[in-house]
Amino acid sequence: MEQTQKIIQEGKQQFLKELIELLKIPSVSADSSYDNDTKRCAEWVKSAMDSIGLQSAKIYETSGHPVVFGELIKSTSLPTVLIYGHYDVQPPDPLELWTSPPFEPIVKDEKIYARGAADDKGQFYMYFAAIKSMIEADEVPCNIKVLIEGEEEVGSENLETFVLNNRDLLSNDVILISDTHMISNDNPSITAGLKGLAYMEVEVTGPNRDLHSGTFGGSVANPVNILCKMIASLTNEKNQITIPGFYDKVLEVSEEEKIEMGRAPFDLESFKKGLDVQEEYGELGFSTLERQGIRPTLDVNGIWGGYTGEGAKTVLPSKAYAKISMRLVPNQNSNEIAELFKKHFESIAPKSVKVKVIAHHGGEPAVTDLTSKGYKAASKAMESTFGKTPIPVRQGGSIPIVSFFENTLNSNCILMGFGLNSDAIHSPNEHFGLFNFYKGIETIPYFFKYFSE
Ligand code: BES
Ligand code: MN
Ligand code: MN
């Protein structure tokens, strides 16, 4: 890998320039007004695959945003690594909180700022740079397949169909993904587990129309008041979730494993300081890292109803709404949890209101086998470039396709992310450190090498 590393060092400026081009494309998957840009982004990814030297790069249409796939098959006797990433990004709003426009990338303080910088354009582009360098150096030790999709941020539903229809195309010995973060630049880590997700939307209806809140207030149910009470009752004074059966299938983590988790460097004071909060919060009896990594959670993502415009309008609204997500851990199942939520939420609604509960597409949790060949290769690769053995950590985010891949393609997913949890993904001023971008590019070739040995 010596020649590869040399080419990487010489190519750094060029890789950054290419990433900047990619970050300029506003590929917001959730918002159809960006559909042309999202399509343009898929085309950009396809031509990038061509220019780094992948064979038969192609755009595959789906019922949603397209999938882009390319490969480099050296020999059927060599192992095959499948790379997965996503070219779609989260909506950039609230725009007014960005210090520079989200789709006009800039480099400031050794970080690149743009929507998608860390999630996931900056991270999947590391592979393009690494693969290009390996090909140029003639140091490709295995077969490489690259799959970049456009719907991760909206749940990857159409990718599931694509995977089911293209098992042979996607067949592999390991799946490698950089779409998560490390503990810090001095404490490299590998994501050893992800949470699943059940995502609900609820509608509470009170009277058949908005009413004068003086004339009718206190004599008819206000759906916003009721919704707040119902949501408040979903957790108890220990911050445990009260939905009957919710914890039934939760795989408890052994004391040994918890002690192991507790060894990960974590400073509660700087955690609180970084977020400007006086005190941490969460389920009684668990540490912050445990709450984030191994315990299921429930959060309101949005709540609305009634008057929210300027000034005061006295009104008793007819309807109230909320979007509520539950992050799940092994062995919870997203459909089962969605069903439990629906049954419970309907049952706690007072007769004075009507409720409607719908489930959005969810995803299943994942855990990494730390004894697998893929994990060991990732660990060795990071050790080569960081000079330290990475620590395995479970994280609270979700990548719905991970467990789907494992179940349909029968291989392990390795989550070797290079971001930081301070990268502001999904937030204003998302950024990705240049250190992280380059370190990722340098580390990736070692993964291919060690996995192929
Ligand atoms: N890259 C994230 C997932 C992530 C972030 C994992 C941080 C671990 C640490 C991914 O793009 C994402 O945002 N996923 C969504 C899934 C959802 C839209 C179905 C999430 O976790 O909210
Ligand atoms: Mn992502
Ligand atoms: Mn994301």
Side-chain angles (χ1 to χ4, degrees), residues 86 119-120 152-153 179:
H86 62 93
D119 186 11
D120 176 43
E152 196 279 338
E153 299 292 7
D179 191 23

Side-chain angles (χ1 to χ4, degrees), residues 185-204:
N185 287 348
D186 301 322
N187 294 293
S189 59
I190 297 178
T191 304
L194 288 171
K195 284 185 183 170
L197 180 68
Y199 200 106
M200 315 300 295
E201 189 160 335
V202 301
E203 179 190 293
V204 179

Side-chain angles (χ1 to χ4, degrees), residues 15 42 70 84 86 109 135 169 180 195 210 214 218 260 268 278 280 293 306 308 333 343 374 380 407 414:
F15 300 145
Y84 163 84
H86 62 93
D109 308 326
I135 293 175
L169 183 73
T180 55
K195 284 185 183 170
D210 286 4
E260 200 51 48
L268 189 58
Q278 291 271 331
E280 77 280 21
T308 56
N333 171 277
K343 226 175 95 196
K380 252 178 103 176
N407 295 330
I414 304 301

Side-chain angles (χ1 to χ4, degrees), residues 86 90 119 152-155 179-181 194 197 327 395 397-400 425-426:
H86 62 93
Q90 284 280 325
D119 186 11
E152 196 279 338
E153 299 292 7
V154 291
D179 191 23
T180 55
H181 50 78
L194 288 171
L197 180 68
R327 298 281 174 168
Q395 290 175 350
S398 309
I399 305 176
I425 65 170
H426 297 206

